[in-house]
Amino acid sequence: MPSSPTPSPTPSSAPEPSGVRRRSLLAAAAAAPVLASLAGAGTAAADSPAGPRALPGGGDLGPNVIVFDPSTANIQGRLDEIFKQQESAQFGTGRYALLFKPGTYNGLNAQLGFYTSVAGLGLSPDDTTINGDVTVDAGWFDGNATQNFWRSAENLALVPVSGTNRWAVSQAAPFRRMHVRGGLNLAPDGYGWASGGYIADSRIDGTVGPYSQQQWYTRDSSVGGWLNAVWNMVFSGVEGAPAQSFPEPPYTTLETTPVSREKPFLYLDGDEYRVFLPEKRTDARGVSWGSGTPRGTSLPLSQFYVAKPGDAAGTLNQALEEGLHLLLTPGVYHLDQTVDVKRAGTVVLGLGYATLVPDNGVTALKVADVDGVRLAGFLVDAGPVNSATLLEVGPEGASADHSANPTTVQDVFVRIGGAGPGKATTSLVVNSRHTIVDHTWVWRADHGDGVGWETNRADYGVVVNGDDVLITGLFVEHFNKYDVQWNGERGRTVFFQNEKAYDAPDQAAIQNGSVKGYAAYKVGDDVTEHEGWGLGSYCYYNVNPSIVQHHGFAAPNRSGVRFHGLLVVSLGGNGQYECVINDTGSPTSGTDTVPSKVVQYP
């Protein structure tokens, strides 16, 4: 769970909104174009090589995918019913996808609770307009938005009733392919604490107001303005973004995103469901749907096995072997074997935070060393028996060149504990070269059920062994050892947010040889080239506030390993950092929640 610092004052050029509360510390109980081809892009044949397939493609999307059209009666009532159920169901089993057919909808306020996704079914966000709001607020948690996780909005145009839409979220709450014809407020009502967040491929005509948001990453978008910053605001490929100014204000701004490929999405072509696969862009800037129609290809739903929560892992693997892609409808899937993705170009797309749980210590999903796999929109939840890994992209030693058609991992989230006991030695391992991980939250739970230093033991969050891997929007928190360990060459990270584990019992529990604590982000000693922009690590050792962490970041001291915009923060003096990176950077001290920053390293 992200902690809750004192919101930084808004810039002197921007008036402070009434009711902004400056607080010095969180309470410990703060309990986060032209269409290239729309027809025939699929790789699946009508029959498998062994003969007619046993499993059908396409079909019904299940009871928890709720589809509206402009003539649907009482849409607001249905939205309110689902919100009431999901508003505070942080570790519940309910999962919902709320889909709007192209058209115009008037007077709606879609409030989103946990595990709820709302999306339009057009090719462009402007195909589906809501004259109203898609709202996330924090009334369920007394105005504190630091636990507003696991919800999303995609592919809609909004005309907010008040002129500004409220999206007060923390981790794992993407705002993708959205067009807000107005402003966007990222703070809860009353401007309480918040710890987000992520925007991509979106156009905000008005101003984005983060207010109390600790950090935020915006990619390949357009904004009419950006009001303020607290600790770490990062932009890549964003028209209208603030200029580079870290450390004050703490804006880290890249003109373009080195490589990006937007997330696959479900849409309607007439009465037929298809999945659109956006094309790869290099040095991207602005939205991918600029003139209304995105570039890419699409697949008919008939080339997907439409999975339901009762399906066993063997069934999912059978579908993959028969040449089908996977569409995971909302729900919880218990796995007794690994889901093996072996075929180039395979799409695994989840709706409504479909959740994979390995029950017996297996790895939930593995990807072969092949081109162009797309994993998107699902949650992996560790099971009660320790898994050596939860998600593997490429086998150990993978070395094939995938630069022309990389694997992408987008809005795929990992959780260890919280919903019940869970363990995993390593959560996400990336072995395949050129993989793009675009927005992930890998979280060892600090609250909920099955939580404790050994109860939900998880030593490593993300381990990158493959070369030429790019991660845009990396959130990793609370692991027992390294949160991120990067061994591959020429790796790049644009935006990193981290908290060290809260629950370390004493200094000895985190000791790393002669070093006090494991770095949040460790670049391997033999790596010669690596680069990162806009990286922050926070400590909140609330079980034992006397713990000292030597540094947040560790890397070889050589010219090819470069960092831009680093910071560490001690939240209220609950633990301290001696340095920012290696032996460089001022220590944190006292009970003031004030970042220590390094502009460039080396």
Side-chain angles (χ1 to χ4, degrees), residues 259 400-403 406 432-436 464-471 486 488-492 529:
V259 187
D401 186 321
H402 302 298
S403 55
S432 287
R433 293 181 63 195
H434 303 102
T435 299
I436 300 171
V464 180
N465 298 316
D467 294 341
D468 307 291
V469 171
L470 170 66
I471 304 186
W486 204 302
E489 287 286 357
R490 297 174 299 279
R492 292 174 291 182
E529 293 182 55

mmCIF file with all atom_site columns, all heavy atoms in Angstrom, residues 259 400-403 406 432-436 464-471 486 488-492 529:
data_model
loop_
_atom_site.group_PDB
_atom_site.id
_atom_site.type_symbol
_atom_site.label_atom_id
_atom_site.label_alt_id
_atom_site.label_comp_id
_atom_site.label_asym_id
_atom_site.label_entity_id
_atom_site.label_seq_id
_atom_site.pdbx_PDB_ins_code
_atom_site.Cartn_x
_atom_site.Cartn_y
_atom_site.Cartn_z
_atom_site.occupancy
_atom_site.B_iso_or_equiv
_atom_site.pdbx_formal_charge
_atom_site.auth_seq_id
_atom_site.auth_comp_id
_atom_site.auth_asym_id
_atom_site.auth_atom_id
_atom_site.pdbx_PDB_model_num
ATOM 1   N N   . VAL A 1 259 ? 10.058 3.064   -27.722 1.00 0.00 ? 259 VAL A N   1
ATOM 2   C CA  . VAL A 1 259 ? 9.266  2.072   -28.455 1.00 0.00 ? 259 VAL A CA  1
ATOM 3   C C   . VAL A 1 259 ? 7.962  1.886   -27.700 1.00 0.00 ? 259 VAL A C   1
ATOM 4   O O   . VAL A 1 259 ? 7.960  1.814   -26.470 1.00 0.00 ? 259 VAL A O   1
ATOM 5   C CB  . VAL A 1 259 ? 9.983  0.700   -28.566 1.00 0.00 ? 259 VAL A CB  1
ATOM 6   C CG1 . VAL A 1 259 ? 9.196  -0.238  -29.485 1.00 0.00 ? 259 VAL A CG1 1
ATOM 7   C CG2 . VAL A 1 259 ? 11.408 0.852   -29.062 1.00 0.00 ? 259 VAL A CG2 1
ATOM 8   N N   . ALA A 1 400 ? 16.821 -15.003 -28.924 1.00 0.00 ? 400 ALA A N   1
ATOM 9   C CA  . ALA A 1 400 ? 16.360 -14.605 -30.258 1.00 0.00 ? 400 ALA A CA  1
ATOM 10  C C   . ALA A 1 400 ? 16.127 -13.100 -30.318 1.00 0.00 ? 400 ALA A C   1
ATOM 11  O O   . ALA A 1 400 ? 15.753 -12.459 -29.328 1.00 0.00 ? 400 ALA A O   1
ATOM 12  C CB  . ALA A 1 400 ? 15.085 -15.348 -30.619 1.00 0.00 ? 400 ALA A CB  1
ATOM 13  N N   . ASP A 1 401 ? 16.342 -12.539 -31.504 1.00 0.00 ? 401 ASP A N   1
ATOM 14  C CA  . ASP A 1 401 ? 16.120 -11.112 -31.740 1.00 0.00 ? 401 ASP A CA  1
ATOM 15  C C   . ASP A 1 401 ? 14.637 -10.868 -32.040 1.00 0.00 ? 401 ASP A C   1
ATOM 16  O O   . ASP A 1 401 ? 14.106 -11.389 -33.018 1.00 0.00 ? 401 ASP A O   1
ATOM 17  C CB  . ASP A 1 401 ? 16.977 -10.658 -32.929 1.00 0.00 ? 401 ASP A CB  1
ATOM 18  C CG  . ASP A 1 401 ? 16.934 -9.149  -33.157 1.00 0.00 ? 401 ASP A CG  1
ATOM 19  O OD1 . ASP A 1 401 ? 15.843 -8.558  -33.007 1.00 0.00 ? 401 ASP A OD1 1
ATOM 20  O OD2 . ASP A 1 401 ? 17.973 -8.574  -33.502 1.00 0.00 ? 401 ASP A OD2 1
ATOM 21  N N   . HIS A 1 402 ? 13.986 -10.103 -31.180 1.00 0.00 ? 402 HIS A N   1
ATOM 22  C CA  . HIS A 1 402 ? 12.557 -9.800  -31.365 1.00 0.00 ? 402 HIS A CA  1
ATOM 23  C C   . HIS A 1 402 ? 12.332 -8.311  -31.618 1.00 0.00 ? 402 HIS A C   1
ATOM 24  O O   . HIS A 1 402 ? 11.228 -7.803  -31.390 1.00 0.00 ? 402 HIS A O   1
ATOM 25  C CB  . HIS A 1 402 ? 11.766 -10.233 -30.131 1.00 0.00 ? 402 HIS A CB  1
ATOM 26  C CG  . HIS A 1 402 ? 11.898 -11.681 -29.792 1.00 0.00 ? 402 HIS A CG  1
ATOM 27  N ND1 . HIS A 1 402 ? 11.487 -12.688 -30.637 1.00 0.00 ? 402 HIS A ND1 1
ATOM 28  C CD2 . HIS A 1 402 ? 12.422 -12.299 -28.700 1.00 0.00 ? 402 HIS A CD2 1
ATOM 29  C CE1 . HIS A 1 402 ? 11.737 -13.860 -30.076 1.00 0.00 ? 402 HIS A CE1 1
ATOM 30  N NE2 . HIS A 1 402 ? 12.302 -13.650 -28.911 1.00 0.00 ? 402 HIS A NE2 1
ATOM 31  N N   . SER A 1 403 ? 13.354 -7.604  -32.087 1.00 0.00 ? 403 SER A N   1
ATOM 32  C CA  . SER A 1 403 ? 13.238 -6.156  -32.223 1.00 0.00 ? 403 SER A CA  1
ATOM 33  C C   . SER A 1 403 ? 12.131 -5.746  -33.186 1.00 0.00 ? 403 SER A C   1
ATOM 34  O O   . SER A 1 403 ? 11.480 -4.717  -32.988 1.00 0.00 ? 403 SER A O   1
ATOM 35  C CB  . SER A 1 403 ? 14.576 -5.559  -32.670 1.00 0.00 ? 403 SER A CB  1
ATOM 36  O OG  . SER A 1 403 ? 15.029 -6.169  -33.868 1.00 0.00 ? 403 SER A OG  1
ATOM 37  N N   . PRO A 1 406 ? 8.251  -7.349  -30.895 1.00 0.00 ? 406 PRO A N   1
ATOM 38  C CA  . PRO A 1 406 ? 8.498  -7.764  -29.516 1.00 0.00 ? 406 PRO A CA  1
ATOM 39  C C   . PRO A 1 406 ? 7.262  -8.328  -28.831 1.00 0.00 ? 406 PRO A C   1
ATOM 40  O O   . PRO A 1 406 ? 6.129  -8.110  -29.264 1.00 0.00 ? 406 PRO A O   1
ATOM 41  C CB  . PRO A 1 406 ? 8.924  -6.457  -28.837 1.00 0.00 ? 406 PRO A CB  1
ATOM 42  C CG  . PRO A 1 406 ? 8.237  -5.391  -29.636 1.00 0.00 ? 406 PRO A CG  1
ATOM 43  C CD  . PRO A 1 406 ? 8.225  -5.891  -31.057 1.00 0.00 ? 406 PRO A CD  1
ATOM 44  N N   . SER A 1 432 ? 13.166 -12.948 -22.504 1.00 0.00 ? 432 SER A N   1
ATOM 45  C CA  . SER A 1 432 ? 13.176 -12.684 -23.946 1.00 0.00 ? 432 SER A CA  1
ATOM 46  C C   . SER A 1 432 ? 13.681 -11.281 -24.250 1.00 0.00 ? 432 SER A C   1
ATOM 47  O O   . SER A 1 432 ? 13.284 -10.303 -23.600 1.00 0.00 ? 432 SER A O   1
ATOM 48  C CB  . SER A 1 432 ? 11.779 -12.851 -24.542 1.00 0.00 ? 432 SER A CB  1
ATOM 49  O OG  . SER A 1 432 ? 11.426 -14.200 -24.618 1.00 0.00 ? 432 SER A OG  1
ATOM 50  N N   . ARG A 1 433 ? 14.527 -11.185 -25.269 1.00 0.00 ? 433 ARG A N   1
ATOM 51  C CA  . ARG A 1 433 ? 15.044 -9.900  -25.698 1.00 0.00 ? 433 ARG A CA  1
ATOM 52  C C   . ARG A 1 433 ? 13.933 -9.010  -26.263 1.00 0.00 ? 433 ARG A C   1
ATOM 53  O O   . ARG A 1 433 ? 12.938 -9.492  -26.791 1.00 0.00 ? 433 ARG A O   1
ATOM 54  C CB  . ARG A 1 433 ? 16.125 -10.091 -26.767 1.00 0.00 ? 433 ARG A CB  1
ATOM 55  C CG  . ARG A 1 433 ? 17.393 -10.757 -26.285 1.00 0.00 ? 433 ARG A CG  1
ATOM 56  C CD  . ARG A 1 433 ? 18.395 -10.858 -27.419 1.00 0.00 ? 433 ARG A CD  1
ATOM 57  N NE  . ARG A 1 433 ? 18.799 -9.538  -27.906 1.00 0.00 ? 433 ARG A NE  1
ATOM 58  C CZ  . ARG A 1 433 ? 19.437 -9.317  -29.057 1.00 0.00 ? 433 ARG A CZ  1
ATOM 59  N NH1 . ARG A 1 433 ? 19.718 -10.337 -29.865 1.00 0.00 ? 433 ARG A NH1 1
ATOM 60  N NH2 . ARG A 1 433 ? 19.768 -8.079  -29.413 1.00 0.00 ? 433 ARG A NH2 1
ATOM 61  N N   . HIS A 1 434 ? 14.127 -7.703  -26.129 1.00 0.00 ? 434 HIS A N   1
ATOM 62  C CA  . HIS A 1 434 ? 13.265 -6.674  -26.717 1.00 0.00 ? 434 HIS A CA  1
ATOM 63  C C   . HIS A 1 434 ? 11.848 -6.643  -26.147 1.00 0.00 ? 434 HIS A C   1
ATOM 64  O O   . HIS A 1 434 ? 10.977 -5.942  -26.673 1.00 0.00 ? 434 HIS A O   1
ATOM 65  C CB  . HIS A 1 434 ? 13.199 -6.817  -28.245 1.00 0.00 ? 434 HIS A CB  1
ATOM 66  C CG  . HIS A 1 434 ? 14.542 -6.755  -28.901 1.00 0.00 ? 434 HIS A CG  1
ATOM 67  N ND1 . HIS A 1 434 ? 15.205 -7.889  -29.333 1.00 0.00 ? 434 HIS A ND1 1
ATOM 68  C CD2 . HIS A 1 434 ? 15.356 -5.710  -29.165 1.00 0.00 ? 434 HIS A CD2 1
ATOM 69  C CE1 . HIS A 1 434 ? 16.371 -7.534  -29.848 1.00 0.00 ? 434 HIS A CE1 1
ATOM 70  N NE2 . HIS A 1 434 ? 16.492 -6.218  -29.764 1.00 0.00 ? 434 HIS A NE2 1
ATOM 71  N N   . THR A 1 435 ? 11.593 -7.388  -25.081 1.00 0.00 ? 435 THR A N   1
ATOM 72  C CA  . THR A 1 435 ? 10.269 -7.343  -24.458 1.00 0.00 ? 435 THR A CA  1
ATOM 73  C C   . THR A 1 435 ? 9.938  -5.920  -24.003 1.00 0.00 ? 435 THR A C   1
ATOM 74  O O   . THR A 1 435 ? 10.804 -5.197  -23.504 1.00 0.00 ? 435 THR A O   1
ATOM 75  C CB  . THR A 1 435 ? 10.221 -8.294  -23.252 1.00 0.00 ? 435 THR A CB  1
ATOM 76  O OG1 . THR A 1 435 ? 10.465 -9.632  -23.700 1.00 0.00 ? 435 THR A OG1 1
ATOM 77  C CG2 . THR A 1 435 ? 8.883  -8.246  -22.541 1.00 0.00 ? 435 THR A CG2 1
ATOM 78  N N   . ILE A 1 436 ? 8.671  -5.529  -24.197 1.00 0.00 ? 436 ILE A N   1
ATOM 79  C CA  . ILE A 1 436 ? 8.173  -4.260  -23.663 1.00 0.00 ? 436 ILE A CA  1
ATOM 80  C C   . ILE A 1 436 ? 7.176  -4.572  -22.548 1.00 0.00 ? 436 ILE A C   1
ATOM 81  O O   . ILE A 1 436 ? 6.169  -5.244  -22.782 1.00 0.00 ? 436 ILE A O   1
ATOM 82  C CB  . ILE A 1 436 ? 7.479  -3.413  -24.748 1.00 0.00 ? 436 ILE A CB  1
ATOM 83  C CG1 . ILE A 1 436 ? 8.443  -3.088  -25.886 1.00 0.00 ? 436 ILE A CG1 1
ATOM 84  C CG2 . ILE A 1 436 ? 6.909  -2.126  -24.135 1.00 0.00 ? 436 ILE A CG2 1
ATOM 85  C CD1 . ILE A 1 436 ? 7.767  -2.454  -27.090 1.00 0.00 ? 436 ILE A CD1 1
ATOM 86  N N   . VAL A 1 464 ? 14.971 -9.102  -14.654 1.00 0.00 ? 464 VAL A N   1
ATOM 87  C CA  . VAL A 1 464 ? 15.132 -8.970  -16.100 1.00 0.00 ? 464 VAL A CA  1
ATOM 88  C C   . VAL A 1 464 ? 16.490 -9.558  -16.482 1.00 0.00 ? 464 VAL A C   1
ATOM 89  O O   . VAL A 1 464 ? 17.532 -9.016  -16.110 1.00 0.00 ? 464 VAL A O   1
ATOM 90  C CB  . VAL A 1 464 ? 15.048 -7.504  -16.556 1.00 0.00 ? 464 VAL A CB  1
ATOM 91  C CG1 . VAL A 1 464 ? 15.225 -7.407  -18.063 1.00 0.00 ? 464 VAL A CG1 1
ATOM 92  C CG2 . VAL A 1 464 ? 13.708 -6.895  -16.135 1.00 0.00 ? 464 VAL A CG2 1
ATOM 93  N N   . ASN A 1 465 ? 16.465 -10.668 -17.206 1.00 0.00 ? 465 ASN A N   1
ATOM 94  C CA  . ASN A 1 465 ? 17.682 -11.294 -17.706 1.00 0.00 ? 465 ASN A CA  1
ATOM 95  C C   . ASN A 1 465 ? 17.904 -11.036 -19.185 1.00 0.00 ? 465 ASN A C   1
ATOM 96  O O   . ASN A 1 465 ? 19.031 -11.141 -19.683 1.00 0.00 ? 465 ASN A O   1
ATOM 97  C CB  . ASN A 1 465 ? 17.644 -12.807 -17.463 1.00 0.00 ? 465 ASN A CB  1
ATOM 98  C CG  . ASN A 1 465 ? 17.575 -13.146 -15.978 1.00 0.00 ? 465 ASN A CG  1
ATOM 99  O OD1 . ASN A 1 465 ? 18.280 -12.558 -15.165 1.00 0.00 ? 465 ASN A OD1 1
ATOM 100 N ND2 . ASN A 1 465 ? 16.692 -14.078 -15.621 1.00 0.00 ? 465 ASN A ND2 1
ATOM 101 N N   . GLY A 1 466 ? 16.847 -10.724 -19.917 1.00 0.00 ? 466 GLY A N   1
ATOM 102 C CA  . GLY A 1 466 ? 16.939 -10.506 -21.357 1.00 0.00 ? 466 GLY A CA  1
ATOM 103 C C   . GLY A 1 466 ? 17.566 -9.162  -21.688 1.00 0.00 ? 466 GLY A C   1
ATOM 104 O O   . GLY A 1 466 ? 17.439 -8.184  -20.936 1.00 0.00 ? 466 GLY A O   1
ATOM 105 N N   . ASP A 1 467 ? 18.221 -9.109  -22.832 1.00 0.00 ? 467 ASP A N   1
ATOM 106 C CA  . ASP A 1 467 ? 18.803 -7.859  -23.305 1.00 0.00 ? 467 ASP A CA  1
ATOM 107 C C   . ASP A 1 467 ? 17.748 -7.004  -24.009 1.00 0.00 ? 467 ASP A C   1
ATOM 108 O O   . ASP A 1 467 ? 16.740 -7.515  -24.504 1.00 0.00 ? 467 ASP A O   1
ATOM 109 C CB  . ASP A 1 467 ? 19.939 -8.138  -24.297 1.00 0.00 ? 467 ASP A CB  1
ATOM 110 C CG  . ASP A 1 467 ? 21.134 -8.842  -23.654 1.00 0.00 ? 467 ASP A CG  1
ATOM 111 O OD1 . ASP A 1 467 ? 21.260 -8.788  -22.404 1.00 0.00 ? 467 ASP A OD1 1
ATOM 112 O OD2 . ASP A 1 467 ? 21.933 -9.447  -24.394 1.00 0.00 ? 467 ASP A OD2 1
ATOM 113 N N   . ASP A 1 468 ? 17.987 -5.705  -24.038 1.00 0.00 ? 468 ASP A N   1
ATOM 114 C CA  . ASP A 1 468 ? 17.186 -4.749  -24.831 1.00 0.00 ? 468 ASP A CA  1
ATOM 115 C C   . ASP A 1 468 ? 15.733 -4.672  -24.372 1.00 0.00 ? 468 ASP A C   1
ATOM 116 O O   . ASP A 1 468 ? 14.828 -4.390  -25.166 1.00 0.00 ? 468 ASP A O   1
ATOM 117 C CB  . ASP A 1 468 ? 17.236 -5.111  -26.315 1.00 0.00 ? 468 ASP A CB  1
ATOM 118 C CG  . ASP A 1 468 ? 18.662 -5.256  -26.827 1.00 0.00 ? 468 ASP A CG  1
ATOM 119 O OD1 . ASP A 1 468 ? 19.356 -4.235  -26.910 1.00 0.00 ? 468 ASP A OD1 1
ATOM 120 O OD2 . ASP A 1 468 ? 19.080 -6.401  -27.120 1.00 0.00 ? 468 ASP A OD2 1
ATOM 121 N N   . VAL A 1 469 ? 15.488 -4.898  -23.099 1.00 0.00 ? 469 VAL A N   1
ATOM 122 C CA  . VAL A 1 469 ? 14.128 -4.831  -22.541 1.00 0.00 ? 469 VAL A CA  1
ATOM 123 C C   . VAL A 1 469 ? 13.810 -3.388  -22.162 1.00 0.00 ? 469 VAL A C   1
ATOM 124 O O   . VAL A 1 469 ? 14.648 -2.659  -21.625 1.00 0.00 ? 469 VAL A O   1
ATOM 125 C CB  . VAL A 1 469 ? 14.008 -5.760  -21.319 1.00 0.00 ? 469 VAL A CB  1
ATOM 126 C CG1 . VAL A 1 469 ? 12.678 -5.558  -20.592 1.00 0.00 ? 469 VAL A CG1 1
ATOM 127 C CG2 . VAL A 1 469 ? 14.165 -7.215  -21.753 1.00 0.00 ? 469 VAL A CG2 1
ATOM 128 N N   . LEU A 1 470 ? 12.578 -2.976  -22.453 1.00 0.00 ? 470 LEU A N   1
ATOM 129 C CA  . LEU A 1 470 ? 12.087 -1.638  -22.114 1.00 0.00 ? 470 LEU A CA  1
ATOM 130 C C   . LEU A 1 470 ? 10.877 -1.766  -21.203 1.00 0.00 ? 470 LEU A C   1
ATOM 131 O O   . LEU A 1 470 ? 9.946  -2.519  -21.501 1.00 0.00 ? 470 LEU A O   1
ATOM 132 C CB  . LEU A 1 470 ? 11.693 -0.879  -23.382 1.00 0.00 ? 470 LEU A CB  1
ATOM 133 C CG  . LEU A 1 470 ? 10.942 0.450   -23.205 1.00 0.00 ? 470 LEU A CG  1
ATOM 134 C CD1 . LEU A 1 470 ? 11.820 1.508   -22.542 1.00 0.00 ? 470 LEU A CD1 1
ATOM 135 C CD2 . LEU A 1 470 ? 10.411 0.961   -24.548 1.00 0.00 ? 470 LEU A CD2 1
ATOM 136 N N   . ILE A 1 471 ? 10.891 -1.040  -20.082 1.00 0.00 ? 471 ILE A N   1
ATOM 137 C CA  . ILE A 1 471 ? 9.723  -1.007  -19.195 1.00 0.00 ? 471 ILE A CA  1
ATOM 138 C C   . ILE A 1 471 ? 9.263  0.435   -19.053 1.00 0.00 ? 471 ILE A C   1
ATOM 139 O O   . ILE A 1 471 ? 10.032 1.314   -18.666 1.00 0.00 ? 471 ILE A O   1
ATOM 140 C CB  . ILE A 1 471 ? 10.014 -1.618  -17.815 1.00 0.00 ? 471 ILE A CB  1
ATOM 141 C CG1 . ILE A 1 471 ? 10.546 -3.048  -17.953 1.00 0.00 ? 471 ILE A CG1 1
ATOM 142 C CG2 . ILE A 1 471 ? 8.751  -1.597  -16.959 1.00 0.00 ? 471 ILE A CG2 1
ATOM 143 C CD1 . ILE A 1 471 ? 10.728 -3.786  -16.637 1.00 0.00 ? 471 ILE A CD1 1
ATOM 144 N N   . TRP A 1 486 ? 18.075 -6.262  -12.394 1.00 0.00 ? 486 TRP A N   1
ATOM 145 C CA  . TRP A 1 486 ? 18.180 -6.158  -13.846 1.00 0.00 ? 486 TRP A CA  1
ATOM 146 C C   . TRP A 1 486 ? 19.556 -6.647  -14.283 1.00 0.00 ? 486 TRP A C   1
ATOM 147 O O   . TRP A 1 486 ? 20.569 -5.997  -14.052 1.00 0.00 ? 486 TRP A O   1
ATOM 148 C CB  . TRP A 1 486 ? 17.973 -4.711  -14.280 1.00 0.00 ? 486 TRP A CB  1
ATOM 149 C CG  . TRP A 1 486 ? 17.514 -4.566  -15.688 1.00 0.00 ? 486 TRP A CG  1
ATOM 150 C CD1 . TRP A 1 486 ? 18.146 -5.012  -16.817 1.00 0.00 ? 486 TRP A CD1 1
ATOM 151 C CD2 . TRP A 1 486 ? 16.303 -3.923  -16.129 1.00 0.00 ? 486 TRP A CD2 1
ATOM 152 N NE1 . TRP A 1 486 ? 17.407 -4.699  -17.933 1.00 0.00 ? 486 TRP A NE1 1
ATOM 153 C CE2 . TRP A 1 486 ? 16.281 -4.024  -17.544 1.00 0.00 ? 486 TRP A CE2 1
ATOM 154 C CE3 . TRP A 1 486 ? 15.265 -3.277  -15.478 1.00 0.00 ? 486 TRP A CE3 1
ATOM 155 C CZ2 . TRP A 1 486 ? 15.236 -3.483  -18.303 1.00 0.00 ? 486 TRP A CZ2 1
ATOM 156 C CZ3 . TRP A 1 486 ? 14.241 -2.748  -16.230 1.00 0.00 ? 486 TRP A CZ3 1
ATOM 157 C CH2 . TRP A 1 486 ? 14.223 -2.854  -17.626 1.00 0.00 ? 486 TRP A CH2 1
ATOM 158 N N   . GLY A 1 488 ? 20.093 -7.931  -17.661 1.00 0.00 ? 488 GLY A N   1
ATOM 159 C CA  . GLY A 1 488 ? 20.250 -7.831  -19.103 1.00 0.00 ? 488 GLY A CA  1
ATOM 160 C C   . GLY A 1 488 ? 20.933 -6.541  -19.526 1.00 0.00 ? 488 GLY A C   1
ATOM 161 O O   . GLY A 1 488 ? 20.932 -5.540  -18.805 1.00 0.00 ? 488 GLY A O   1
ATOM 162 N N   . GLU A 1 489 ? 21.512 -6.583  -20.714 1.00 0.00 ? 489 GLU A N   1
ATOM 163 C CA  . GLU A 1 489 ? 22.165 -5.398  -21.272 1.00 0.00 ? 489 GLU A CA  1
ATOM 164 C C   . GLU A 1 489 ? 21.154 -4.483  -21.977 1.00 0.00 ? 489 GLU A C   1
ATOM 165 O O   . GLU A 1 489 ? 20.141 -4.931  -22.496 1.00 0.00 ? 489 GLU A O   1
ATOM 166 C CB  . GLU A 1 489 ? 23.246 -5.812  -22.279 1.00 0.00 ? 489 GLU A CB  1
ATOM 167 C CG  . GLU A 1 489 ? 24.489 -6.414  -21.639 1.00 0.00 ? 489 GLU A CG  1
ATOM 168 C CD  . GLU A 1 489 ? 25.369 -5.371  -20.948 1.00 0.00 ? 489 GLU A CD  1
ATOM 169 O OE1 . GLU A 1 489 ? 25.045 -4.166  -21.013 1.00 0.00 ? 489 GLU A OE1 1
ATOM 170 O OE2 . GLU A 1 489 ? 26.373 -5.770  -20.329 1.00 0.00 ? 489 GLU A OE2 1
ATOM 171 N N   . ARG A 1 490 ? 21.512 -3.203  -21.988 1.00 0.00 ? 490 ARG A N   1
ATOM 172 C CA  . ARG A 1 490 ? 20.775 -2.160  -22.714 1.00 0.00 ? 490 ARG A CA  1
ATOM 173 C C   . ARG A 1 490 ? 19.319 -2.054  -22.258 1.00 0.00 ? 490 ARG A C   1
ATOM 174 O O   . ARG A 1 490 ? 18.432 -1.725  -23.026 1.00 0.00 ? 490 ARG A O   1
ATOM 175 C CB  . ARG A 1 490 ? 20.855 -2.380  -24.232 1.00 0.00 ? 490 ARG A CB  1
ATOM 176 C CG  . ARG A 1 490 ? 22.282 -2.280  -24.778 1.00 0.00 ? 490 ARG A CG  1
ATOM 177 C CD  . ARG A 1 490 ? 22.368 -2.629  -26.248 1.00 0.00 ? 490 ARG A CD  1
ATOM 178 N NE  . ARG A 1 490 ? 21.930 -4.016  -26.512 1.00 0.00 ? 490 ARG A NE  1
ATOM 179 C CZ  . ARG A 1 490 ? 22.700 -5.082  -26.332 1.00 0.00 ? 490 ARG A CZ  1
ATOM 180 N NH1 . ARG A 1 490 ? 23.937 -4.962  -25.882 1.00 0.00 ? 490 ARG A NH1 1
ATOM 181 N NH2 . ARG A 1 490 ? 22.236 -6.302  -26.587 1.00 0.00 ? 490 ARG A NH2 1
ATOM 182 N N   . GLY A 1 491 ? 19.094 -2.346  -21.003 1.00 0.00 ? 491 GLY A N   1
ATOM 183 C CA  . GLY A 1 491 ? 17.761 -2.172  -20.441 1.00 0.00 ? 491 GLY A CA  1
ATOM 184 C C   . GLY A 1 491 ? 17.421 -0.710  -20.235 1.00 0.00 ? 491 GLY A C   1
ATOM 185 O O   . GLY A 1 491 ? 18.299 0.129   -20.003 1.00 0.00 ? 491 GLY A O   1
ATOM 186 N N   . ARG A 1 492 ? 16.117 -0.398  -20.327 1.00 0.00 ? 492 ARG A N   1
ATOM 187 C CA  . ARG A 1 492 ? 15.655 0.966   -20.115 1.00 0.00 ? 492 ARG A CA  1
ATOM 188 C C   . ARG A 1 492 ? 14.357 0.951   -19.316 1.00 0.00 ? 492 ARG A C   1
ATOM 189 O O   . ARG A 1 492 ? 13.462 0.151   -19.592 1.00 0.00 ? 492 ARG A O   1
ATOM 190 C CB  . ARG A 1 492 ? 15.417 1.676   -21.454 1.00 0.00 ? 492 ARG A CB  1
ATOM 191 C CG  . ARG A 1 492 ? 16.679 1.944   -22.249 1.00 0.00 ? 492 ARG A CG  1
ATOM 192 C CD  . ARG A 1 492 ? 16.385 2.512   -23.628 1.00 0.00 ? 492 ARG A CD  1
ATOM 193 N NE  . ARG A 1 492 ? 15.748 1.531   -24.509 1.00 0.00 ? 492 ARG A NE  1
ATOM 194 C CZ  . ARG A 1 492 ? 15.435 1.768   -25.777 1.00 0.00 ? 492 ARG A CZ  1
ATOM 195 N NH1 . ARG A 1 492 ? 15.665 2.963   -26.301 1.00 0.00 ? 492 ARG A NH1 1
ATOM 196 N NH2 . ARG A 1 492 ? 14.881 0.832   -26.526 1.00 0.00 ? 492 ARG A NH2 1
ATOM 197 N N   . GLU A 1 529 ? 25.600 -1.393  -20.111 1.00 0.00 ? 529 GLU A N   1
ATOM 198 C CA  . GLU A 1 529 ? 24.715 -0.340  -20.603 1.00 0.00 ? 529 GLU A CA  1
ATOM 199 C C   . GLU A 1 529 ? 23.334 -0.486  -19.981 1.00 0.00 ? 529 GLU A C   1
ATOM 200 O O   . GLU A 1 529 ? 22.730 -1.571  -20.015 1.00 0.00 ? 529 GLU A O   1
ATOM 201 C CB  . GLU A 1 529 ? 24.576 -0.403  -22.125 1.00 0.00 ? 529 GLU A CB  1
ATOM 202 C CG  . GLU A 1 529 ? 25.839 -0.068  -22.890 1.00 0.00 ? 529 GLU A CG  1
ATOM 203 C CD  . GLU A 1 529 ? 25.606 -0.094  -24.387 1.00 0.00 ? 529 GLU A CD  1
ATOM 204 O OE1 . GLU A 1 529 ? 24.691 0.620   -24.858 1.00 0.00 ? 529 GLU A OE1 1
ATOM 205 O OE2 . GLU A 1 529 ? 26.310 -0.842  -25.085 1.00 0.00 ? 529 GLU A OE2 1
#
